[in-house]
Amino acid sequence: MKEQEIEFKNLLSKDEYAKLIQHFKSVPKKQITQTNIYLDTPDFKLKEKKCGLRIRTFASGNHELTLKTPLTVGLLETTDSLAPSETKDILAGAPLPNKEVTATLKSLNIQPQEIVAFGELHTNRVEFPYASGLLVLDHSHYLNKEDYEIEFEVTDAIQGELEFQQLLTQLDIQKRPTLNKVVRFYNTVKNQS
């Protein structure tokens, strides 16, 4: 499955995260527990191409392999469903299953058999509809770190950016340059080396 991802994100302090939870306390929410397992080649060829590859496992038992590649606006997400046994095999060193993600990797001149796992990021996520999109509040743990983040997933970049900025202003939340989770994860790996 391929789909365009347009989202706006901002790192939060613990207090700002609590403020958002409190502000939206009466809104029905979906709560999700998930783990991202980040993958790349040993020499980070995907990172060099500004791409990210992850296996995401959910507490519900579902697993998926997602490759994110840059577009002019947003990212293109290519996602394959995985059986839990396929995830286990990949983490044990088996090649990626020959599906859509593998074909896309080959189109990027990356050999799927080069892919290795680098580590995990665990997230407790709360999500709900807001304005023209989906608002997501994440509390993540990885490599002895934790962070808080707000994401706003939309289909219209211009309208979405306006609505996101209005929400941050309304709740007096400082706008911060925010890297994707995979980049934050790899930067932490690099800093711990």
PDB file of all heavy atoms in Angstrom, residues 11 16 24 75 94 137 151:
ATOM      1  N   LEU A  11       8.078  18.888  18.955  1.00  0.00           N
ATOM      2  CA  LEU A  11       8.448  18.303  20.232  1.00  0.00           C
ATOM      3  C   LEU A  11       7.804  19.105  21.351  1.00  0.00           C
ATOM      4  O   LEU A  11       7.593  20.318  21.216  1.00  0.00           O
ATOM      5  CB  LEU A  11       9.965  18.287  20.403  1.00  0.00           C
ATOM      6  CG  LEU A  11      10.708  17.193  19.649  1.00  0.00           C
ATOM      7  CD1 LEU A  11      12.220  17.398  19.754  1.00  0.00           C
ATOM      8  CD2 LEU A  11      10.323  15.813  20.131  1.00  0.00           C
ATOM      9  N   GLU A  16       3.884  20.591  28.564  1.00  0.00           N
ATOM     10  CA  GLU A  16       3.055  20.901  27.383  1.00  0.00           C
ATOM     11  C   GLU A  16       2.235  19.678  26.969  1.00  0.00           C
ATOM     12  O   GLU A  16       1.060  19.806  26.596  1.00  0.00           O
ATOM     13  CB  GLU A  16       3.933  21.360  26.227  1.00  0.00           C
ATOM     14  CG  GLU A  16       4.538  22.743  26.438  1.00  0.00           C
ATOM     15  CD  GLU A  16       5.619  23.073  25.421  1.00  0.00           C
ATOM     16  OE1 GLU A  16       6.209  22.149  24.818  1.00  0.00           O
ATOM     17  OE2 GLU A  16       5.882  24.283  25.244  1.00  0.00           O
ATOM     18  N   PHE A  24      -7.786  18.389  25.837  1.00  0.00           N
ATOM     19  CA  PHE A  24      -8.652  17.529  25.025  1.00  0.00           C
ATOM     20  C   PHE A  24      -9.232  16.367  25.834  1.00  0.00           C
ATOM     21  O   PHE A  24      -9.637  15.349  25.271  1.00  0.00           O
ATOM     22  CB  PHE A  24      -7.860  16.981  23.823  1.00  0.00           C
ATOM     23  CG  PHE A  24      -7.527  18.023  22.802  1.00  0.00           C
ATOM     24  CD1 PHE A  24      -6.229  18.502  22.669  1.00  0.00           C
ATOM     25  CD2 PHE A  24      -8.516  18.543  21.967  1.00  0.00           C
ATOM     26  CE1 PHE A  24      -5.920  19.467  21.722  1.00  0.00           C
ATOM     27  CE2 PHE A  24      -8.217  19.514  21.019  1.00  0.00           C
ATOM     28  CZ  PHE A  24      -6.924  19.978  20.893  1.00  0.00           C
ATOM     29  N   LEU A  75       5.736  12.936   2.598  1.00  0.00           N
ATOM     30  CA  LEU A  75       6.473  11.696   2.374  1.00  0.00           C
ATOM     31  C   LEU A  75       5.570  10.681   1.690  1.00  0.00           C
ATOM     32  O   LEU A  75       4.354  10.717   1.857  1.00  0.00           O
ATOM     33  CB  LEU A  75       6.934  11.101   3.710  1.00  0.00           C
ATOM     34  CG  LEU A  75       7.891  11.942   4.547  1.00  0.00           C
ATOM     35  CD1 LEU A  75       8.028  11.369   5.952  1.00  0.00           C
ATOM     36  CD2 LEU A  75       9.253  12.021   3.884  1.00  0.00           C
ATOM     37  N   ALA A  94      16.980 -12.814   8.538  1.00  0.00           N
ATOM     38  CA  ALA A  94      16.405 -13.267   7.272  1.00  0.00           C
ATOM     39  C   ALA A  94      16.172 -12.065   6.359  1.00  0.00           C
ATOM     40  O   ALA A  94      15.981 -10.938   6.834  1.00  0.00           O
ATOM     41  CB  ALA A  94      15.083 -13.999   7.518  1.00  0.00           C
ATOM     42  N   LEU A 137      -0.756  12.546  19.871  1.00  0.00           N
ATOM     43  CA  LEU A 137       0.114  12.900  20.987  1.00  0.00           C
ATOM     44  C   LEU A 137       0.916  11.660  21.345  1.00  0.00           C
ATOM     45  O   LEU A 137       0.345  10.619  21.681  1.00  0.00           O
ATOM     46  CB  LEU A 137      -0.706  13.372  22.191  1.00  0.00           C
ATOM     47  CG  LEU A 137      -1.628  14.562  21.928  1.00  0.00           C
ATOM     48  CD1 LEU A 137      -2.489  14.859  23.150  1.00  0.00           C
ATOM     49  CD2 LEU A 137      -0.840  15.782  21.510  1.00  0.00           C
ATOM     50  N   GLU A 151       1.753  15.526  16.668  1.00  0.00           N
ATOM     51  CA  GLU A 151       1.737  15.432  15.214  1.00  0.00           C
ATOM     52  C   GLU A 151       0.324  15.751  14.750  1.00  0.00           C
ATOM     53  O   GLU A 151      -0.654  15.399  15.411  1.00  0.00           O
ATOM     54  CB  GLU A 151       2.099  14.016  14.737  1.00  0.00           C
ATOM     55  CG  GLU A 151       3.495  13.573  15.073  1.00  0.00           C
ATOM     56  CD  GLU A 151       3.798  12.160  14.589  1.00  0.00           C
ATOM     57  OE1 GLU A 151       2.887  11.485  14.050  1.00  0.00           O
ATOM     58  OE2 GLU A 151       4.947  11.720  14.762  1.00  0.00           O
TER      59      GLU A 151
END
